[in-house]
Structures are given as C-alpha cells and as structure tokens.
Amino acid sequence: MTTVSLTSTPLAKTRTDAVVLATTSGDDPRVLGLDALPKQARAAVESAARVVGATGAADELLKVPAPSGLGASLLVLAGTGADGADALTDETLRRTAGSAVRQLAGTGSVTLALPATTAAQVGAVAEGAVLGGYVFSGHPGSTEPVGAVEVLVADAKDKESRAAVERAQVVGSAVNGVRDLVNTPPNLLYPESFAERARTLAKGTKVDVTVLDDDALRAGGYGGLVGVGQGSTRGPRLVRLEWKPRKATGHYALVGKGITFDSGGLSIKPAKSMETMKSDMAGAAAVLHTVLAAARLNVPVRVTGWLALAENMPSATAQRPSDVITIRGGRTVEVLNTDAEGRLVLADALVAAGEEDPDVLVDIATLTGAQMVALGNQVSAVMGTDDVRGAVVAAAGRAGEQFWPMPLPEELRPSLTSPVADMANIGERYGGMLVAGLFLREFTDGRPWAHLDIAGPAFNEGGPRHYVPKGGTGVGVRTLLSLLDSAAQA
C-alpha cells in the first residue's frame, strides 16, 4: 500500500523520483507552487509547461525532465481542472493527488508539492494519494503502486496536519479494502468465505464479530436470507459486527447488502448483465470496512454492522416467482421476481438491527438498476426519513462523494400490495428505485433511517478517473465515516 508522510524539506534538497506540481485550467493556465522551487528553476518550469502544452485539464498528467536545482529526476505537471487557484476545493486537491499517484504507478517515491496549506487540504491530498495508489492485491500481474508519497507542507510537525494524514491513511485503507473485496472473483468470495474474511480482518481490533450460518438463520426465522440463498450450494450468512467504545454518544446500525454473486435466480439475468455481479456485495463490504475504520479512528459512537450475505443462483432448490416467504419478525412477502433479492436479505438484517433499538438505521446496497437510470454511474441515491437523509447528503458533501436526495412517494406504496402476503417484493416499474426504498421502509419500524442505493457508483466499468480505479470503487465508506463523525460531535 502507498504510504504517505509530510515533509518540509526544500525541493532543491529533496531526494525523490518525481515532484508533482498542480496546473490550473481556463484561458490562462498556470503552474501553481512555483515559489517552492529554487529560483533558477521557476522560469524553466513555466517554459516547460508551455512547450508540452499544459492545459490544466482534470486528469492531465505531463512529465518533463526536472530542471537543474531540483532534487528529483522527473517533474510532473498535474491538471486540476480548476479555473484558477481560487477555484481549488478539498475535493479538487484530492482528485489531483489521486490522479497523479495513480498515473505514476511503478514510481518508487513521489513528492506532492500541491497548494495545500490547511490541515483539511493536507488531509485531502493525503487521502487522494492513498486512493490513487490502489492496485488490486489479488492480481499478481498488476503494476506496483507508488511506494512512498511525501506531501510538501510548511511545517511537517504541525499536529493538525499530522492527524489529518493519519486519518487519511485509515480512511483510504478502508476504501481500498472494499475495492479488494468487490474485485475478488465470486468463486473465491462467497457467503462463508466473506464471513471468515470479516473475522480475520477484525482480529486484533476491538470489533466483535458474530456469524449466523444457514442453520441458525432458518431457526431464527430469517426467511429473506434463507430464501435467496437456497438456490446455491453455498449457504447464506448474517454477520454482526460491533464497535462499542466507552461513553458512546449514540448507536448507529449499518446494514449492507452482500449478494456475493447475483445471477438473478430463476428470474435469470441476461448473460451480459451478470459480468459485473460479483460487485453485488459492495454494500456489505462498505459496512465491514466502515466499522473497522471507526474502531481504528476511535470514533466515540457505538456502531453495529450487519452483513446480509447470500449467493443468488438458479437451481432445483431455488425460490420461485410466486413463493411466499416470512421475513424475520413475521411479515410475509410474495416473491414475484427472484432478481429483486437484495431487498429480501436487507429486510431480515434491518429487522435484526432494529431489535437492538439503535438511534439511527442506515442501509447501503447495490440495489436497483433504476438508480443508474435516474442518476447515472457516478451519483448515488439516498432516501429515508428527512433528518437522516439530509445528514447523509451533508456527510457526503464533506467527504467528497456524490449522493443525491430522493423522495419516497406514498402514491407508489400501493403497487407493493399482494393478494396472498403482506406485500410483494416488486411494484410499479417506473420509479423502481423509490419503490425499493418504500419496501425497505416497511422493516425499519419507523426509526430514523436512510437507504443508500449505490448500484452504479460501486463498480467502474469504464477507464480509471482521478482516484477511482477500474472495477470496485469503495463508494460509501467515506460518507458513512463522515456521518459517524458528525454524530460524535452532535
């Protein structure tokens, strides 16, 4: 993993493979941070930027030989996409750092001389570096990430900046941990092995782990998990995680959808649609690493995490369209479409989480294709009670993630009516994301609650961008940790 540290050593004396400077865009692109360079090198850098045609566009990365007087062999100009220095935000710095470190993979050491003066800006640069340095550990042929990153600051001993870097390292590691899980092939990551991975990751921490296997789930009345999982030879699991600090200021329950592979069941998906379905457990992965990171950061909030794990497969034992199942707590559901399975396992986990009477209930899931129709593949949706929905949107803004508030129209609720059960698992086609949210609301018992649909943003099928790699993105972790931070300060 890429490590990040602070340095105040002048660039003329720094021994590093590459020095990164930021460039702005607009009608008059500029190189920022020239005052950090030796005087004789400044004009050479400005000249080099003109020669190579630096535009300052986001994700632009231009490499030139370092001018004399610089303690590096390579000078890198990283575009910010910002029209002038005044337009730089924490997220712009995060993306610029991430883009540079990602594109410099294979480089031993990099010094980021970006315009970061506050602790928040330093933390954003450090976080971007960790996120941009991600390489899937399960692929031995991958290029080695940048080994070490130094962030140039005025005072490397500043306590606030050092704390910001330490937090960035924890948060970035958590996001990268989610990416690893999402990118793992489904023949290697299935409910039982996922549960064991959770146990392994929690060893040596203060996070308690409890696992219910398929026999315990049947005995406990978890009809959603049992029904979805019964088509696979690899049975379902429900993993409960708990971080319980002394004098906790509240209790947040986080619930994650963990379908380790989704074929659609008997309502089978088209073959092309299955190619990315190893990512259907991204919500559970986000919950797992959020709880672990909360413990590492010593967040003074009690956090319980619930991973609803199952493999949705077609077989002679799979649940059928028109089956009626009983969710934990007794509510019955008519299964009209076995490919609307995520809401069934989440329903079980939401009820179980609610039995512990948390102050706030949050679920996160790659739940509906309708989310992508509505918001695309880079903006996630959030529904729920007004207060928690608003808190999630605010937390996402602070964290640098994009979540958009969506309604839960009561007019759509009747479409979930069933003549043979308390409700059906699908309803009105149009507004399907909202219908799924209304379904989940039935299992929250009126608690403060938010539902995060990350179907599109959880997996990047296109090329890499800024600090986001191809494949698993780790979306949601930063927002959930920001939400917990705000709860701690309330």
Side-chain angles (χ1 to χ4, degrees):
M1 185 183 75
T2 300
T3 60
V4 182
S5 60
L6 298 178
T7 182
S8 299
T9 303
L11 291 181
K13 298 181 179 179
T14 296
R15 294 295 172 260
T16 185
D17 294 320
V19 168
V20 178
L21 295 177
T23 55
T24 60
S25 61
D27 295 333
D28 185 22
R30 296 291 181 90
V31 179
L32 302 179
L34 289 175
D35 55 344
L37 298 174
K39 185 178 297 185
Q40 67 272 23
R42 297 173 191 173
V45 170
E46 289 184 307
S47 175
R50 288 192 296 270
V51 169
V52 298
T55 68
D59 257 357
E60 179 181 76
L61 197 82
L62 302 172
K63 304 175 184 179
V64 297
S68 60
L70 208 61
S73 57
L74 188 67
L75 175 67
V76 179
L77 303 177
T80 63
D83 188 3
D86 292 341
L88 290 173
T89 64
D90 289 354
E91 178 62 8
T92 304
L93 290 170
R94 187 182 288 111
R95 292 186 176 195
T96 302
S99 176
V101 173
R102 173 177 59 78
Q103 295 185 70
L104 288 170
T107 306
S109 59
V110 172
T111 297
L112 298 176
L114 304 181
T117 55
T118 68
Q121 291 172 335
V122 171
V125 170
E127 189 175 286
V130 177
L131 296 174
Y134 172 77
V135 172
F136 177 41
S137 61
H139 182 32
S142 300
T143 303
E144 285 294 315
V146 171
V149 172
E150 288 186 324
V151 180
L152 183 64
V153 294
D155 182 6
K157 295 182 179 179
D158 179 70
K159 291 182 179 180
E160 290 187 2
S161 294
R162 290 169 67 90
V165 170
E166 289 174 5
R167 175 184 168 78
Q169 199 88 51
V170 172
V171 174
S173 296
V175 173
N176 290 343
V178 174
R179 293 170 171 177
D180 270 351
L181 285 168
V182 171
N183 291 331
T184 300
N187 60 318
L188 301 179
L189 190 73
Y190 44 91
E192 183 180 4
S193 65
F194 195 138
E196 286 307 308
R197 187 81 67 94
R199 286 190 191 275
T200 299
L201 290 170
K203 284 183 179 177
T205 73
K206 294 183 179 180
V207 174
D208 293 327
V209 181
T210 305
V211 179
L212 298 183
D213 63 14
D214 39 0
D215 290 336
L217 292 172
R218 288 191 190 90
Y222 293 90
L225 279 157
V226 171
V228 173
Q230 70 189 40
S232 174
T233 58
R234 301 186 289 198
R237 296 289 186 273
L238 179 63
V239 179
R240 178 186 180 276
L241 309 153
E242 182 176 26
W243 157 242
K244 191 175 183 180
R246 293 181 180 180
K247 299 180 180 179
T249 57
H251 177 194
Y252 274 58
L254 310 179
V255 176
K257 173 188 172 185
I259 303 299
T260 56
F261 184 77
D262 184 16
S263 70
L266 292 181
S267 305
I268 197 163
K269 294 177 182 290
K272 186 67 178 175
S273 298
M274 289 191 217
E275 291 180 3
T276 61
M277 283 300 102
K278 67 179 181 180
S279 69
D280 213 16
M281 35 56 66
V287 169
L288 168 61
H289 280 283
T290 296
V291 177
L292 294 171
R296 288 185 64 186
L297 294 169
N298 200 29
V299 175
V301 176
R302 180 187 175 196
V303 187
T304 48
W306 302 81
L307 317 182
L309 309 176
E311 187 176 51
N312 189 24
M313 300 292 285
S315 74
T317 59
Q319 67 179 358
R320 297 154 288 253
S322 78
D323 278 0
V324 174
I325 63 174
T326 303
I327 301 297
R328 182 170 174 86
R331 190 180 293 264
T332 56
V333 176
E334 182 183 13
V335 180
L336 296 180
N337 189 319
T338 64
D339 196 23
E341 85 299 328
R343 64 199 70 183
L344 301 177
V345 302
L346 286 173
D348 272 341
L350 284 167
V351 173
E355 289 170 355
E356 298 186 0
D357 197 24
D359 300 308
V360 176
L361 193 56
V362 178
D363 73 78
I364 179 169
T366 48
L367 203 63
T368 66
Q371 178 274 321
M372 289 180 276
V373 174
L375 297 174
N377 59 14
Q378 295 187 39
V379 179
S380 301
V382 55
M383 290 148 268
T385 55
D386 290 348
D387 52 348
V388 186
R389 183 185 62 182
V392 170
V393 172
R398 293 190 299 271
E401 294 190 314
Q402 298 183 83
F403 278 81
W404 195 256
M406 301 297 287
L408 290 174
E410 295 299 335
E411 294 83 358
L412 294 176
R413 174 60 183 85
S415 70
L416 290 168
T417 299
S418 166
V420 296
D422 292 324
M423 61 193 306
N425 76 324
I426 58 171
E428 174 65 45
R429 176 187 175 192
Y430 297 107
M433 171 177 63
L434 313 180
V435 173
L438 288 166
F439 179 93
L440 294 176
R441 188 182 66 178
E442 297 288 320
F443 302 93
T444 65
D445 198 25
R447 289 182 174 79
W449 157 75
H451 160 56
L452 284 56
D453 193 335
I454 58 170
F459 196 85
N460 177 24
E461 294 187 66
R465 59 181 185 272
H466 49 85
Y467 51 72
V468 175
K470 184 178 178 64
T473 66
V475 69
V477 171
R478 289 152 55 199
T479 292
L480 290 175
L481 286 171
S482 177
L483 182 65
L484 295 174
D485 279 343
S486 64
Q489 296 164 12

